[in-house]
Structure formats: structure tokens, C-alpha cells
Amino acid sequence: MKRREFVALSAAALAAGWRPRRAAARIRFGYAAITWGGNDRQAIDDIAELGFRGIQLRQSAVTTWGNRPGELKDLLAERKLMLVAVSSGVMPLDPAAEAESLAQHVRHAQFVRDVGGRYLQILDERPAGRDPVLDDYRRMGRLLGELGRRTSDLGIKLGYHNHMGALGQAPDEVARILDAADPRFVHLELDTAHYQQAGGDPAAAVRRHAGRLLFLHLKDLDASHRFVELGRGSVDIRAVFASLDAIAFDGWVVVELDAVPDAAGTPKQSGVINRRYLEALGRWNDAS
């Protein structure tokens, strides 16, 4: 086809209402077990029954199954759940704690590998009693890079988790740490609620850090800065999904709720609310 014919056909198609197909994210939805307060067996059962494909576990799971990772691997396989990540705790700034901290996080990465999981989540430490300085970001970037190199050797990617009260709290602080860390080994695990609480726009963060985005904590936040079920707060979840579509994100989105907001409710009931919200947005079927 000659170029003139192609242009003419394209113009005719647009006039008839045809538009190029929008790129779409390919999302697998997981759910964080934190809502169950350490009752991981119940969390596994409930999350599987809710229809989520993955789960994020915490230190309590390492305590329970640390010497028996095969048992947890079989349990998750029976429930048709992928271990998306384990929350590994904090990377301290104190040089005296460096060696043991790195060793502990590597042990957690080995656990993730042995269970057949994907990622290790890491937080960072904000200095106590003073404002952060440039050397803090540089040091944390180096530490995270070293940890990421070691976990990568195990086949486990490192997800750096932005968090209120951490060194990487405000958007520019998160960016400083990512800039200081080796992009081959340190990726971003974006928490939408913490990012907004720190003054950022989570949808903009998805686009800003598209090249480093590993997975997300999809979380909502109300006006009193309390974490709530999706759609019950002020985080623009629709805009977050639009940004994920715009970058053609292909990965895990983990719904997280630290605690049940309603004292009369249960973690599973909150999970139902979250799933129904994803269904109402038309995103649940993204999890193919």
C-alpha cells in the first residue's frame, strides 16, 4: 500500500469513529495479610476464598514457617495463591547494624525463594531527632543496592516501599533514594495511600517511576488519614489505574488495609468491600 493510500484510509477510519486501541495494564491482584494481625492461616483461607490470586505475608509467616518453607509452599498451592512478597522490615541507617541487617533480609529473601514467591519488601529508616541530610539518602541507596544485588542472586527482586515516617516519605525523598540506588537491583513498591499522605499524587508517581515500578500497594485514605477500604477515601483509584494503563503496567497490585476500620467488621468483610469496588470499576477481570 502506498503512503498516500494509507493516509487516506486512516483518515476515513478516524472519521468513521475508529480510534487506536488504548494500551491496558495487565494486572494480577493480590491481597496483604496484614489485616489479619498475624493469623496467617486464616488470611490465606480468606484471601483465596475472596478470589485473589496472590498474597503478601509478613514476619509472622517467617516465624511460623521459617524452618518449613515447603509446608507453606504446598498450602499456598492448594489455595491457588502466589506469594507475591514478604515484608522484611526496616533497613537501618546505623553502620553498626549493617552486617546483621543485610544478613537477616537475605534470609528472608531465601524464604521467599523457597516458598516459590516473587519479591522482598523493604522499608528504610528515618534518622531520629534530626532532619535527613544528603548523605542519609546516599547511604540508604548504597545499602538498598547491596541488598538488592544479594536478593537478585537468589532470583528475588527487591521492592523499596515508600512509607510515612521513613526516610523515603515525601515524593522528592522517594526520588532521592531511587536515584541513589542501583536501578538494576532496587525497584519501587508504590504505596498509594502513604504517597498521598506525604503530599504526593499516586497516579503521577506511577508515571514518574514507570521504569522502576515493581508492584503496588493499592490502599485508600480518608480525610483523617485513616486507612479505609477502596472507594471510601480520597485516593483517586481510577486515576491510578489510568496511569497503569498509560504505562502498560504488567504485574501485581496488592490490595492492602492495615486494620479493619469498622470495629464490628472482619478482615474478610473488608476484603469483600475491596473486591466489589474493583468489580464496580471494571478492573477485576483484568486479573487474567
Side-chain angles (χ1 to χ4, degrees):
M1 179 183 294
K2 294 181 180 179
R3 183 177 183 276
R4 182 178 299 173
E5 293 172 333
F6 174 79
V7 171
L9 284 174
S10 298
L14 289 172
W18 177 87
R19 293 293 183 272
R21 185 176 179 181
R22 174 179 59 85
R26 183 172 182 269
I27 293 170
R28 276 79 73 195
F29 285 114
Y31 207 98
I34 186 174
T35 326
W36 282 258
N39 188 351
D40 293 321
R41 292 183 185 275
Q42 188 64 54
I44 290 168
D45 287 344
D46 288 349
I47 290 168
E49 289 177 12
L50 287 167
F52 288 87
R53 297 177 58 192
I55 188 170
Q56 180 167 352
L57 295 169
R58 307 181 77 214
Q59 177 65 44
S60 55
V62 180
T63 300
T64 301
W65 290 287
N67 295 325
R68 308 185 314 280
E71 180 181 318
L72 177 58
K73 184 176 183 178
D74 291 344
L75 178 60
L76 294 177
E78 290 172 5
R79 303 299 192 272
K80 295 181 172 57
L81 286 173
M82 162 66 71
L83 176 59
V84 180
V86 163
S87 307
S88 192
V90 174
M91 175 65 74
L93 278 167
D94 182 6
E98 177 177 333
E100 176 52 33
S101 180
L102 284 170
Q104 179 182 20
H105 293 310
V106 169
R107 288 193 293 270
H108 291 168
Q110 290 170 334
F111 177 76
V112 175
R113 177 200 61 189
D114 293 344
V115 178
R118 302 292 300 275
Y119 310 132
L120 190 75
Q121 171 189 296
I122 191 75
L123 300 172
D124 57 5
E125 181 182 59
R126 198 172 189 89
R130 63 173 176 83
D131 292 332
V133 297
L134 182 59
D135 282 348
D136 293 326
Y137 299 105
R138 289 173 174 169
R139 174 171 175 74
M140 186 56 65
R142 182 188 66 78
L143 288 170
L144 295 179
E146 176 60 22
L147 176 59
R149 182 187 65 78
R150 298 186 190 188
T151 65
S152 179
D153 287 343
L154 297 169
I156 301 301
K157 290 184 177 181
L158 183 67
Y160 166 63
H161 180 17
N162 62 291
H163 203 284
M164 292 298 296
L167 181 61
Q169 175 176 272
D172 286 347
E173 293 175 332
V174 174
R176 287 190 197 107
I177 291 170
L178 290 174
D179 288 345
D182 192 327
R184 296 174 298 172
F185 304 125
V186 181
H187 313 276
L188 175 63
E189 176 210 331
L190 176 66
D191 186 297
T192 57
H194 281 285
Y195 200 84
Q196 179 162 306
Q197 189 176 355
D201 177 350
V206 168
R207 296 171 186 259
R208 179 178 185 179
H209 300 295
R212 302 285 288 275
L213 192 59
L214 185 62
F215 72 106
L216 284 82
H217 275 175
L218 192 64
K219 184 189 297 184
D220 211 343
L221 182 77
D222 70 10
S224 64
H225 292 170
R226 181 183 61 155
F227 300 128
V228 292
E229 293 91 351
L230 300 178
R232 296 188 168 185
S234 60
V235 174
D236 191 341
I237 304 296
R238 291 179 183 272
V240 171
F241 279 121
S243 288
L244 292 173
D245 287 334
I247 68 168
F249 177 75
D250 184 354
W252 286 94
V253 170
V254 174
V255 177
E256 187 183 51
L257 181 63
D258 290 29
V260 179
D262 182 354
T266 68
K268 189 174 183 181
Q269 288 169 343
S270 289
V272 170
I273 294 169
N274 285 322
R275 172 173 170 166
R276 287 176 178 169
Y277 180 79
L278 295 173
E279 290 173 334
L281 287 186
R283 305 303 311 211
W284 181 253
N285 290 333
D286 290 355
S288 58

